[in-house]
Amino acid sequence: MFFTAVAHAAEPGISVSLSPYVLGYIGVVPITSTLVTAWFSILLLFSFAWLLRRRLALVPGHVQSLVEMGIGGVYDYIAETLGGKKYADRYFPIIFTIFIFILTFNWVGLIPGVGAFGSYDESGSLIPWLYPSATDINMTIGLAIVSFVTIQLAGVIGIGLWKYIGKFINFSSPLGFAIGLIELVSELARLIAFSFRLFGNIFAGKVLLLVVFFFAPYIAPIPIYGYEIFVGLIQAVVFAILTLFFIRVAIEEPH
Amino acid sequence: MDQLISAFGIDWQLILLQILNFGLLAAGLTYLLYKPVLRLLRERQERIEQGIKDAAAAEKMKQNAEAEKQSILATAHTEAEAVAARAKTHAEERGQAIVGEAQGKAEQLLQQAAAAGEEIKARSRRESEAEIAKTAILAAEKILQERASS
């Protein structure tokens, strides 16, 4: 809370930007604070995975038990939902990574100090080094594309290319054609729904926290923090679960 | 549209970078975490299943061993009874034979003793008769000597 106050002391009022903060460029590629946060989250996850892997034992400790319960539980749930371990082996890594990645960068974004440390640009505005990744639409669109491509590939692999295309382009009857078109539009709309749902929730949470910090910096942010931790978890679950269920719909034979 | 893209700061390079990030993370976690943990879970499940199978097999073996033990005990009991019966019969037969033999020997000894007694008796008589004859001869000689001297 202290660092947040210092950071915002340089700016009059609340400053909110829809576009990500650019820290610099590597060649022509912009390096944003949300991208750095994503890298930091990846580093955290890799470190945790590496440490856990070194200590894996047939008789598990507390941490290993929790991880086993999470991974084993999700794997079984995916196998049950998709109708077999064959599908779980194929899609579990993507679905679970979506969940754990979103959860990690959402929670990393809530660590006090994130968004407070940074450097000032020429206009005197703070450019934070770290910033919640999901407040960057590029991140959520990226994940939405991953999810979208996974769903389409699952459909093609699951029931075959022509049958899958036949779900959307159907000349058997005028009604079938119309339904196919609606399916196609709703399929494409998922890209927008996926990306903007996550972006909107986390961005709104960040704005809410900024507003509360600005008007009532003591005590009041605590329940908001609790709520945002919950929102971070829920959004991760929703993104992963929706991907799973759309995969299930995609691999079902057309009626 | 351009305004929207500009307002949100949408950049295809960043989108691509985020997709690459995700790909890298998914590949890394699959190698470092998912595969080892799922392998471990499978191994543990196999071990548990094997343990349950082994326990069932051991229980079955225990029951078989118990049945075999009872069977062996029953057979041994029967055989022991038969052996005991045979031994008893044999002992009775042997006892009777020994007693019979002893009786035979005793009778034989009695007969020998009776014969020896008869022999002794005859010899005594013969010796007595010889003694008496000798004594009578001596008495006759004495009488004859006395008559001759008188």
Side-chain angles (χ1 to χ4, degrees), chain A residues 152-172:
Chain A
Q152 306 314 315
L153 283 178
V156 172
I157 295 167
I159 61 172
L161 179 65
W162 299 115
K163 268 190 186 176
Y164 190 66
I165 290 174
K167 276 186 172 183
F168 307 108
I169 302 168
N170 184 353
F171 294 111
S172 62

Side-chain angles (χ1 to χ4, degrees), chain A residues 81-200:
Chain A
T81 307
L82 297 182
K85 288 195 171 181
K86 179 183 78 174
Y87 292 112
D89 285 335
R90 197 180 292 161
Y91 300 114
F92 168 80
I94 293 172
I95 293 168
F96 197 78
T97 307
I98 285 175
F99 167 73
I100 203 74
F101 190 29
I102 294 174
L103 181 72
T104 307
F105 65 60
N106 279 349
W107 282 1
V108 163
L110 289 171
I111 295 171
V114 168
F117 291 102
S119 50
Y120 291 99
D121 63 6
E122 303 83 36
S123 62
S125 301
L126 180 78
I127 308 294
W129 294 325
L130 294 173
Y131 206 70
S133 294
T135 60
D136 178 359
I137 193 77
N138 295 302
M139 163 60 96
T140 59
I141 288 175
L143 286 176
I145 289 172
V146 167
S147 175
F148 180 80
V149 170
T150 305
I151 292 162
Q152 306 314 315
L153 283 178
V156 172
I157 295 167
I159 61 172
L161 179 65
W162 299 115
K163 268 190 186 176
Y164 190 66
I165 290 174
K167 276 186 172 183
F168 307 108
I169 302 168
N170 184 353
F171 294 111
S172 62
S173 66
L175 185 65
F177 183 73
I179 290 171
L181 276 183
I182 293 167
E183 287 282 335
L184 187 64
V185 170
S186 63
E187 201 73 21
L188 293 171
R190 275 180 204 156
L191 260 175
I192 300 164
F194 263 126
S195 49
F196 277 87
R197 183 188 302 109
L198 180 59
F199 170 77

Side-chain angles (χ1 to χ4, degrees), chain B residues 5-47:
Chain B
I5 289 172
S6 172
F8 280 101
I10 298 173
D11 185 331
W12 68 270
Q13 289 172 318
L14 283 172
I15 293 172
L16 195 67
L17 214 53
Q18 298 291 13
I19 293 171
L20 285 176
N21 280 343
F22 179 84
L24 177 76
L25 180 67
L29 287 182
T30 302
Y31 173 72
L32 284 172
L33 194 65
Y34 307 150
K35 277 190 177 174
V37 169
L38 287 171
R39 195 185 308 127
L40 189 76
L41 287 172
R42 280 195 195 107
E43 272 176 24
R44 192 181 295 141
Q45 194 176 352
E46 279 167 11
R47 280 199 182 199

Side-chain angles (χ1 to χ4, degrees), chain A residues 6 14 16 27 66 70 81 127 136 166-167 184 186 192 219 227 238 241:
Chain A
V6 169
I14 301 169
V16 177
L66 276 175
T81 307
I127 308 294
D136 178 359
K167 276 186 172 183
L184 187 64
S186 63
I192 300 164
I219 310 294
Y227 175 68
V238 165
I241 287 276

